[in-house]
Amino acid sequence: MPRRRVLRWSGGLMAAVVAPTGLVTAACSTSSGPSAASPARPSSAGAASPLPPVPPVPSVDGAGTPTLAATLGTRRSVRDFTDVPLTRAELGLLLWAAQGVTAANGHRTAPSAGALYALELYATTAEETLHYLPDGHRTEVWAERSVAPGLARATRQDPPGRAPTLVVVTVTPARLAGKYGGRAGRYADLEAGHATQNLLLQAVALGLGAVPIGSFDDGDVAAVLGLPEGEEPRYVVPVGHPR
Ligand SMILES: Cc1cc2nc3c(=O)[nH]c(=O)nc-3n(C[C@H](O)[C@H](O)[C@H](O)COP(=O)(O)O)c2cc1C
């Protein structure tokens, strides 16, 4: 009998082709779950009316920075990485994209229910484990060692062990409970999704790759990181240079 319930991940494989117009066409093959060929839900009665075609999207703006549309159009989950470590500047931009402070009142890159900010971010490299402090855009040393091997074991998946950096996104629903009661857990999870998508898109913009891993043993991840009581992991995100 297995001691714990761990979900095995069986995601789909997708090959994306960016047409010269900037439009993206995709060939999907999924082992399970919905795909472009088998929509999650059939269209309801009434005829479906097509939207105007997506116009050609420039891949970079005037300053040579990738446009948001180009970044969205090329994001794919990446699970195979080179050994090249992330620079501290790259790590800083990833963490800032997820939870950076962008206003004098403390509001951040990602929305937050009631601006109560239910998230924490941790990043583990080959040498150390850091905790992000959005205020002042700083990191503190959370552990003077990598916790990547422990996180990899907690996911029972390959990519974490091979990425040079793993970012862990956690939620503390209790921060929202006073204002939102029974909806606190839901709102914390939604906030984690917003922040993680920001991080994934920033990775693309930096020429990096990442995958949001949601299948892991919560207790193991919490123990490996030494999370405080009431703080729960939601995503483990391996990030690195795509191989
Ligand atoms: C909630 C959630 C959980 C996920 N968990 C995993 C996971 O545990 N392992 C993994 O390899 N991918 C995971 N993924 C990534 C999906 O497999 C991936 O997004 C999907 O196959 C679509 O491919 P794309 O991201 O390249 O568009 C997860 C995605 C979401 C939204």
Side-chain angles (χ1 to χ4, degrees), residues 9 11-14 75-77 79 157 159 211-215 235:
W9 189 254
L13 299 172
M14 178 176 273
R75 185 210 58 80
R76 280 282 74 80
S77 290
R79 299 178 177 82
Q157 296 181 49
V211 55
I213 290 190
S215 176
Y235 268 131

Side-chain angles (χ1 to χ4, degrees), residues 84-95 125 130 164-165 206 208 241:
V84 178
L86 268 54
T87 65
R88 189 157 164 86
E90 287 169 333
L91 179 62
L93 275 171
L94 292 168
L95 297 172
T125 66
L130 304 170
T165 297
L206 290 169
L208 301 170
H241 293 266

Side-chain angles (χ1 to χ4, degrees), residues 99 110-113 117-119 176 186-196:
Q99 279 296 275
S112 169
Y117 300 106
L119 309 185
L176 309 181
R186 175 199 297 227
Y187 287 177
D189 290 350
L190 292 170
E191 191 174 330
H194 291 299
T196 305

Side-chain angles (χ1 to χ4, degrees), residues 116-197:
L116 291 168
Y117 300 106
L119 309 185
E120 299 295 330
L121 302 176
Y122 303 85
T124 192
T125 66
E127 291 88 33
E128 60 183 354
T129 303
L130 304 170
H131 174 225
Y132 184 55
L133 303 171
D135 185 18
H137 187 52
R138 295 166 295 148
T139 55
E140 63 177 354
V141 176
W142 189 252
E144 286 172 346
R145 61 190 170 79
S146 176
V147 295
L151 292 178
R153 280 194 298 278
T155 67
R156 277 52 160 188
Q157 296 181 49
D158 245 1
R162 290 188 272 115
T165 297
L166 303 179
V167 176
V168 180
V169 180
T170 70
V171 297
T172 306
R175 286 184 202 159
L176 309 181
K179 183 163 186 182
Y180 296 111
R183 295 179 81 79
R186 175 199 297 227
Y187 287 177
D189 290 350
L190 292 170
E191 191 174 330
H194 291 299
T196 305
Q197 177 74 351

Side-chain angles (χ1 to χ4, degrees), residues 13-17 25-29:
L13 299 172
M14 178 176 273
V17 180
T25 57
C28 288
S29 84

